[in-house]
Amino acid sequence: MNILAIETSCDETACAVVQDGRTVLSSVIASQADEHKIYGGVVPEIASRRHAEQIVQTTGLTLEQAGLSLPDMDAIAVTYAPGLIGALLVGVNFAKGLSLALGKPLIPVHHIRGHIAACYIAHPQLTPPFLCLVVSGGHSHIIEVLDYTAFKVVGKTCDDAAGEAFDKAARVLGLPYPGGVEMDKLASTAVPGKYRLPNPKVENRPFDLSFSGLKTAVVNLAHNAAQKGESLDKAALAADFSDRVSDMLSSRLFAAAEQLSYKNIACAGGVSANSQLRSRLQADAKAAGAQLYLPPLDLCVDNAAMIGAQAFYEYSAGNVGDSSLNAYASMDIG
Ligand code: KG4
Ligand code: ZN
């Protein structure tokens, strides 16, 4: 089954053709990051406009790279929640138009379900049930993937998402948007050990996460240094910040895995591209005798291949939409 998938939830106009949920025939991402850079973050109005301008061309290029045309598609999939509402609406309306014109089913896909499905593309042997850490710009969740379309959230952030924390800390350090990847690059050049940021804690909720205290610690260090006229070792600070975030994420994930008896563990979402987090997860998986499934870097960040992958399983479960489909800025994964 060939699925044409569209993803426009944030600042990437993405399109992919995915066969039977696991084989990516083509995947194109038109990023707007350079345009948002000068504002230090995504400007929703600009994002919507660029999606509207780029979606036809991106879809054409995707089909061309797959060596296929629209009539070869068996269904149209689209991210319909959660995300920037104006941005989502561009993709949803475009997908509805294609579905109606071609007379092919429309498959609505939850963005976070899509991130999890990135692991299926990278690891053909991976099947539910497994435990997945999803860490992106807007979400930080520990999720039991009970089946392809059945999920149970067992832990979540009490404040910022992990990606949001990376981006805010990066901004304090004067790094360009998107900050997470810049923090990662800078941390890799550090001589670590100069700073010791606090370990965030969440009382009585062993699998929940918190990042706002860490962010505040970085803000305070930067202000104190500025007031004293001292220079900040930004690389060492970025490395310690990444280390604290990785520690919180991985320790909570593996505590949940132990309690719930999972030996198959996955991690997905933009922050799963972070090199310190990946190393920490690998070390903790080895210590726990667990199998770790990480997507390659290009499938960690937003893309449409992951949406096409999840769409196959949504379709198999009978989850199809029609011309009344709407977009939603927020929606639980369940
Ligand atoms: O999944 P994603 O592409 O979009 C959302 O669904 O939010 O995640 C974007 C987030 C951003 O906050 C970005 O800074 C972060 O993922 N990110 C990283 C890295 N690459 C992307 N954070 C830390 N290290 C990275 N290498
Ligand atoms: Zn995402």
Side-chain angles (χ1 to χ4, degrees):
M1 179 181 194
N2 288 335
I3 296 181
L4 180 75
I6 312 282
E7 152 66 43
T8 63
S9 67
C10 192
D11 62 342
E12 326 276 2
T13 313
C15 184
V17 178
V18 182
Q19 199 172 57
D20 299 333
R22 300 263 179 171
T23 307
V24 181
L25 300 185
S26 64
S27 177
V28 176
I29 302 173
S31 177
Q32 311 168 358
D34 282 346
E35 196 165 353
H36 296 287
K37 202 171 246 168
I38 53 169
Y39 303 102
V42 178
V43 182
E45 178 63 20
I46 294 177
S48 314
R49 284 171 189 268
R50 293 300 165 266
H51 286 313
E53 286 164 14
Q54 290 178 333
I55 197 158
V56 174
Q57 199 183 341
T58 307
T59 305
L61 189 59
T62 305
L63 287 166
E64 192 182 308
Q65 288 188 2
L68 297 169
S69 57
L70 281 174
D72 299 319
M73 297 301 110
D74 298 303
I76 310 297
V78 65
T79 306
Y80 75 119
L84 301 172
I85 190 68
L88 286 167
L89 278 168
V90 176
V92 165
N93 285 317
F94 184 70
K96 281 203 280 191
L98 281 180
S99 158
L100 276 171
L102 298 168
K104 299 287 165 76
L106 177 69
I107 312 171
V109 177
H110 188 286
H111 184 75
I112 300 303
R113 291 186 180 200
H115 271 303
I116 295 170
C119 299
Y120 302 140
I121 297 170
H123 303 283
Q125 72 280 29
L126 176 65
T127 54
F130 58 94
L131 191 68
C132 188
L133 172 69
V134 184
V135 270
S136 69
H139 295 81
S140 294
H141 285 133
I142 297 172
I143 297 173
E144 280 187 85
V145 183
L146 303 167
D147 204 342
Y148 289 104
T149 57
F151 306 86
K152 186 175 174 199
V153 175
V154 294
K156 60 181 186 327
T157 181
C158 306
D159 39 60
D160 294 342
E164 194 181 356
F166 266 109
D167 294 342
K168 285 177 179 171
R171 195 189 281 218
V172 173
L173 298 184
L175 304 177
Y177 168 84
V181 69
E182 296 295 330
M183 291 279 281
D184 199 351
K185 281 189 217 155
L186 193 61
S188 68
T189 68
V191 179
K194 184 162 180 181
Y195 298 99
R196 189 70 187 161
L197 292 166
N199 271 323
K201 288 199 176 58
V202 186
E203 296 291 336
N204 304 324
R205 281 142 70 187
F207 311 142
D208 278 351
L209 311 155
S210 168
F211 303 103
S212 65
L214 261 181
K215 179 195 65 192
T216 307
V218 175
V219 170
N220 289 343
L221 265 173
H223 283 173
N224 285 343
Q227 275 174 352
K228 292 178 188 161
E230 293 170 1
S231 65
L232 214 54
D233 184 340
K234 292 184 184 181
L237 195 47
D240 197 58
F241 184 87
S242 308
D243 186 59
R244 298 295 85 218
V245 172
S246 303
D247 180 61
M248 157 137 287
L249 292 172
S250 194
S251 62
R252 302 280 152 133
L253 175 64
F254 283 94
E258 190 182 355
Q259 180 154 332
L260 301 165
S261 304
Y262 279 98
K263 286 291 181 194
N264 280 342
I265 317 279
C267 181
V271 180
S272 64
N274 184 267
S275 42
Q276 268 172 279
L277 176 61
R278 290 172 85 90
S279 309
R280 175 63 192 264
L281 290 169
Q282 270 150 359
D284 286 353
K286 197 171 172 197
Q291 184 67 46
L292 180 68
Y293 299 91
L294 288 173
L297 299 192
D298 59 334
L299 286 172
C300 292
V301 291
D302 287 350
N303 65 87
M306 65 186 197
I307 302 303
Q310 180 60 22
F312 177 74
Y313 298 104
E314 297 291 346
Y315 183 77
S316 306
N319 298 336
V320 291
D322 58 30
S323 58
S324 67
L325 180 70
N326 205 348
Y328 300 90
S330 59
M331 182 185 282
D332 288 343
I333 191 168

